[in-house]
Amino acid sequence: MPDTLTITDNRTGTTIDIPIENGAIRATAFEELRAPDTEHGLMLYDPAFMNTASCKSRITFIDGDRGILLYRGYPIEQLAEHSTYLETAYLLVHGELPTASQAEEWNREITHHTLIHENVKQFIDGFHHDAHPMGILVSTVGALSTFYPDATQIYDEAQRRISIYRLIAKMPTLAAFAYRHSLGLPYNYPDNDLSFPGNFLSMLFKMVELKYEPAPEIEHALDVLFILHADHEQNCSTNAMRSVGSSHPDPYTATAAAVAALYGPLHGGANEAVVRMIGRIGSIDRVPEFIEGVKAGKERLMGFGHRVYKNYDPRAKVIKQMADQVLGVTGTSAELDIARELEKIALEDEYFVSRKLYPNVDFYSGFIYRALGIPVDMFPVLFAIPRVSGWLSQWEESLLDKEQKIARPRQVYLGSARRDYVPLGSR
Ligand code: ACO
């Protein structure tokens, strides 16, 4: 059987054979099908990219029906158990796990780029005391581009490398400074003796002690959360990174666009929305009433459902187990009990079962962050810190992909036909 698709345009009787490659056909093949008196060939209409591949990628694989997530072929569960975030970031960027010497160099480079220019502190100071830290992060990441003008040389591999080091290294610093600003506390400089997550905890929480020593369970939990959030193929923010990157700005500017996309409650803001939702529910006995409201279309069950996963999100499984471990150290939470009850009821309810709505990565992550003492406003920021390694891997892959061009979708125009301007007095 030939790997082709045969299409007949019944308007004209034209038949074309389109090759099927890797389970996909090229949308441009349809341009040939053109009815008389039409201004363009046949287009594919796909709002929200429901069934359109925007790129070929070798980074992350998801099988949403079976609940499988692989980074460069490695199952997320194995990475969560055995790897570290920094090693996983190397894997995403380079395509292979590092050797011992590669890991040493990578860790050294990232560690040596954690400081930010002193001027950055000044413009963080300029934000209102209750500024959302995600708003601060969008602005400060974008502003980094002004400190590194050479980063515009995106086809210079050395420039790309150093931008990657800087962005992965400086995200926790910017995030922690945004947090400390919101509390009116002095900024803590990075402590390069600590691990990547340990240093972040130190920049967040160190007070007057000479050396901050993170609890090993908490440090580990944060590292695992970072691994789980590092990439997720062509999601909304990654698409923003690739799309903005396609006009060839420096990576700091493209990353600011990705952070902005992540900010929304349907994406990285979802774990914040979950915790707020649980707060509104208030107690276990009100869970059934809340579920009825969701089914009646009053609101969504945040942290449930996913465009791609039609099964339990594999990241949510790891996080659920970890929530139990972390809360074992920090003390139990009434909120987590409400969440567990919500999950139990939803997983048995026909509304959720028939729509294949399962917990996603955001359903439990917020409770771990809460247990670590991190305020809800910071949740999407904690997502952005590791996701930058995925964004950068995808950005670089896109830049080096000879088939990519500036991203520019078509539209189906439904507006007015040509008409003449009517002066104000005659309308
Ligand atoms: N609660 C209640 N109903 C839902 C939910 C939900 N969380 N999610 C989807 N549905 C329903 C829809 O109402 C729709 O029902 P209908 O067919 O009767 O109209 C059906 O399920 C399909 O939903 P869509 O909106 O078409 O699904 P889509 O793929 O566009 O949306 C999304 C995916 C945005 C994640 C959605 O499930 C949602 O809003 N979830 C809550 C927010 C959330 O948790 N976001 C985090 C996603 S993971 C991440 O970004 C890291």
Side-chain angles (χ1 to χ4, degrees), residues 99-414:
T99 61
S101 63
Q102 287 166 336
E104 199 190 319
E105 190 196 340
W106 173 255
N107 293 354
R108 191 180 53 244
E109 289 289 356
I110 304 268
T111 309
H112 284 170
H113 284 96
T114 48
L115 277 174
I116 51 178
H117 195 287
E118 286 293 291
N119 286 356
V120 176
K121 283 185 358 192
Q122 288 168 21
F123 57 78
I124 293 182
D125 283 342
F127 283 97
H128 204 50
H129 70 91
D130 58 357
H132 196 291
M134 214 42 186
I136 300 183
L137 192 66
V138 174
S139 329
T140 48
V141 169
L144 286 184
S145 80
T146 63
F147 292 84
Y148 307 111
D150 291 345
T152 49
Q153 292 161 35
I154 52 173
Y155 282 105
D156 175 341
E157 192 186 348
Q159 282 303 331
R160 288 201 306 275
R161 280 307 105 205
I162 195 161
S163 294
I164 289 173
Y165 293 141
R166 283 187 185 129
L167 270 160
I168 293 176
K170 292 182 200 308
M171 287 292 277
T173 315
L174 294 175
F177 281 24
Y179 169 73
R180 302 284 291 193
H181 173 73
S182 70
L183 298 179
L185 289 168
Y187 305 123
N188 285 326
Y189 285 94
D191 179 343
N192 289 351
D193 290 340
L194 295 174
S195 68
F196 187 87
N199 170 50
F200 178 55
L201 288 165
S202 166
M203 288 191 290
L204 285 178
F205 297 131
K206 184 170 168 300
M207 297 304 282
V208 289
E209 65 272 40
L210 283 179
K211 179 102 186 152
Y212 179 86
E213 284 173 14
E217 301 84 355
I218 305 286
E219 194 178 354
H220 174 67
L222 195 58
D223 207 28
V224 173
L225 282 167
F226 284 169
I227 292 173
L228 300 179
H229 285 88
D231 195 47
H232 211 230
E233 53 119 301
Q234 306 313 311
N235 54 84
C236 177
S237 55
T238 301
N239 184 54
M241 182 85 186
R242 281 185 177 255
S243 187
V244 172
S246 77
S247 76
H248 294 175
D250 65 85
Y252 303 96
T253 303
T255 300
V259 177
L262 189 69
Y263 194 175
L266 296 188
H267 190 12
N271 52 9
E272 179 177 348
V274 170
V275 170
R276 294 196 197 283
M277 172 187 79
I278 301 279
R280 279 200 318 280
I281 297 173
S283 58
I284 290 196
D285 55 307
R286 294 185 55 201
V287 168
E289 177 193 336
F290 175 80
I291 293 275
E292 286 313 310
V294 170
K295 286 160 63 178
K298 286 191 193 148
E299 61 182 300
R300 289 203 159 188
L301 174 52
M302 300 309 284
F304 259 65
H306 199 275
R307 173 61 59 77
V308 179
Y309 293 116
K310 302 302 168 198
N311 200 325
Y312 214 103
D313 180 336
R315 301 166 300 172
K317 272 192 197 146
V318 177
I319 291 185
K320 190 178 173 187
Q321 278 172 5
M322 246 179 35
D324 292 332
Q325 285 164 22
V326 170
L327 283 131
V329 177
T330 60
T332 60
S333 120
E335 291 173 333
L336 187 61
D337 295 338
I338 299 176
R340 286 201 189 100
E341 182 68 9
L342 265 177
E343 181 192 340
K344 191 168 131 259
I345 296 189
L347 289 180
E348 286 166 1
D349 191 295
E350 199 277 330
Y351 175 94
F352 298 91
V353 173
S354 64
R355 288 170 179 76
K356 299 189 175 163
L357 300 171
Y358 291 87
N360 60 46
V361 67
D362 289 314
F363 193 65
Y364 284 109
S365 60
F367 303 107
I368 303 183
Y369 295 145
R370 282 278 263 204
L372 304 188
I374 294 171
V376 280
D377 277 3
M378 280 292 285
F379 293 179
V381 172
L382 269 103
F383 191 154
I385 291 173
R387 182 55 62 89
V388 79
S389 59
W391 290 331
L392 290 164
S393 315
Q394 303 265 354
W395 164 77
E396 190 170 45
E397 184 180 66
S398 178
L399 280 183
L400 301 181
D401 181 343
K402 297 266 185 289
E403 288 193 328
Q404 289 293 341
K405 288 171 179 288
I406 187 166
R408 202 324 185 165
R410 302 296 301 266
Q411 65 166 9
V412 176
Y413 180 68
L414 299 178

Side-chain angles (χ1 to χ4, degrees), residues 45-64:
Y45 175 59
D46 188 9
F49 298 113
M50 294 292 286
N51 192 30
T52 293
S54 63
C55 62
K56 291 176 179 165
S57 182
R58 291 180 167 77
I59 301 173
T60 292
F61 172 82
I62 301 175
D63 180 335

